[in-house]
Amino acid sequence: MDIRRLKYFLAIAEEGQITSAARKLQMSQPPLSQQLKLLEDELGVKLVERGPRSIRLTEAGMLLRDRAEQIIELTDSTARELGDYARGVQGTLNIGTVSSSAAALLEQRLMLFHRQNAGARFELHEGNTFRVLDLLAKGIVEIGIIRMPFSSAGLECVYTPEEPMVAVMSAEHDWTEGADSIALEELQGRPLILYRRFEPLIRETCREQGFEPDIFCMNDDARTTLLWANAGLGIGIVPQSAFGLLRSDNLRCTEIRAEALRTRVAAVWMKDKYLSALARKFIECFQGETLAL
């Protein structure tokens, strides 16, 4: 399989029509159809079902689409890295990160790494924890910055210190009278805005305190929680370091006193896989000390 032919196939898969894919690729339809047939002949499988107006991927076609996207992304990333080296740049570090870990990533650890490796460049891939771990397993990123809890099987990990969850609310919803912390029970009956991944933990912890949480909104991004809370739609619950993702004079933050609602950020990478020198340096900065790998 050559890269050009894979790109042709991805265009066909995305467009759902050979005619529109040919227009997108700025080529005529017959050569594109021929390239698809050559790819099918080379692999020995049928990749598409051809209809009168559109095509549909077979199971083999869907598998190749997923693999082709990974191959193209890795190829493009490698070409950019080699281009960086040719220009005297020290390399590109591919990191996967979840939104709630962004503040932990951007504080002293990343600044220290940047000062020590000023020529380095970054490619960030953002998503939830499951997507970051998937990108890590596929080799698209070298390091994942994710938040507990997660399964550490097959991973090497270094952690930041534990931090509490906090309740965030607009000024008009603030009942705390400037208190540094609140009991979990004080959230009873209040509309809560949650990051979806923390929902089971928060439900279980509330039930242990004898009440069912009133979940007004669940979402997949800590920034969404902060924005909705800032709009006065409810009480957001986020890790303390995530509060810094949104700057607003209208937003209040109070620690929740609940031992179960404590979390921490981890830098993770695959066990027994090659780790570049640049990735090793990043882990040293993340950990705050020299890491013997």
Side-chain angles (χ1 to χ4, degrees):
M1 292 182 293
D2 65 42
I3 297 300
R4 183 185 61 173
R5 196 167 288 164
L6 286 179
K7 289 182 177 179
Y8 289 164
F9 170 72
L10 282 179
I12 294 170
E14 289 168 2
E15 295 296 319
Q17 284 185 327
I18 294 180
T19 303
S20 58
R23 283 199 299 268
K24 180 179 180 179
L25 293 167
Q26 298 183 330
M27 61 189 296
S28 59
Q29 181 178 337
L32 184 57
S33 296
Q34 178 66 14
Q35 289 296 321
L36 177 59
K37 184 179 183 305
L38 289 173
L39 184 59
E40 289 180 320
D41 291 344
E42 179 184 0
L43 297 175
V45 293
K46 193 172 185 179
L47 298 173
V48 302
E49 297 285 355
R50 293 164 174 82
R53 294 181 176 274
S54 63
I55 60 98
R56 182 179 63 84
L57 295 182
T58 63
E59 288 190 13
M62 288 187 281
L63 175 61
L64 180 61
R65 178 193 59 195
D66 293 342
R67 293 292 186 266
E69 287 173 348
Q70 298 167 27
I71 291 167
I72 298 301
E73 188 163 7
L74 284 170
T75 301
D76 290 346
S77 178
T78 301
R80 287 191 294 271
E81 289 182 43
L82 292 173
D84 288 340
Y85 278 115
R87 294 191 301 273
V89 178
Q90 295 178 3
T92 299
L93 182 60
N94 286 274
I95 299 175
T97 180
V98 297
S99 65
S100 65
S101 70
L105 176 62
L106 289 173
E107 56 183 28
Q108 296 179 359
R109 294 170 181 82
L110 185 56
M111 299 307 296
L112 174 61
F113 177 80
H114 178 61
R115 285 197 299 270
Q116 294 176 349
N117 304 273
R121 297 292 182 265
F122 297 89
E123 285 195 23
L124 292 183
H125 300 256
E126 297 179 287
N128 60 31
T129 292
F130 304 109
R131 170 162 170 74
V132 171
L133 291 176
D134 183 55
L135 292 172
L136 199 63
K138 291 173 177 174
I140 293 172
V141 301
E142 278 197 276
I143 297 172
I145 308 297
I146 57 179
R147 187 175 289 280
M148 294 288 285
F150 62 87
S151 171
S152 61
L155 300 174
E156 299 283 359
C157 315
V158 291
Y159 300 92
T160 61
E162 275 194 342
E163 59 179 305
M165 296 280 199
V166 295
V168 294
M169 72 283 299
S170 61
E172 60 268 29
H173 278 70
D174 186 4
W175 76 95
T176 65
E177 299 181 346
D180 292 333
S181 64
I182 58 169
L184 181 66
E185 305 91 282
E186 293 184 54
L187 297 176
Q188 184 172 0
R190 303 184 189 275
L192 303 181
I193 305 166
L194 307 180
Y195 183 45
R196 191 182 311 277
R197 197 163 159 272
F198 292 132
E199 184 232 344
L201 175 62
I202 291 171
R203 279 194 186 278
E204 181 182 349
T205 306
C206 290
R207 286 168 180 167
E208 289 174 356
Q209 296 300 314
F211 71 97
E212 190 71 28
D214 178 10
I215 298 179
F216 172 68
C217 171
M218 279 196 295
N219 61 77
D220 294 309
D221 195 312
R223 290 164 293 200
T224 301
T225 297
L226 294 171
L227 286 167
W228 280 51
N230 189 57
L233 296 172
I235 311 301
I237 299 179
V238 296
Q240 188 176 54
S241 63
F243 180 69
L245 293 172
L246 179 67
R247 299 296 181 187
S248 171
D249 294 335
N250 186 48
L251 206 57
R252 308 288 189 268
C253 167
T254 304
E255 179 180 337
I256 302 170
R257 294 194 303 273
E259 193 59 34
L261 297 186
R262 298 185 70 83
T263 183
R264 55 182 174 170
V265 170
V268 300
W269 64 100
M270 301 300 297
K271 282 183 178 177
D272 305 320
K273 270 197 174 183
Y274 170 77
L275 202 62
S276 70
L278 200 60
R280 290 171 182 251
K281 291 178 181 179
F282 179 85
I283 291 166
E284 290 174 6
C285 290
F286 191 91
Q287 191 179 31
E289 58 188 32
T290 300
L291 181 67
L293 294 174

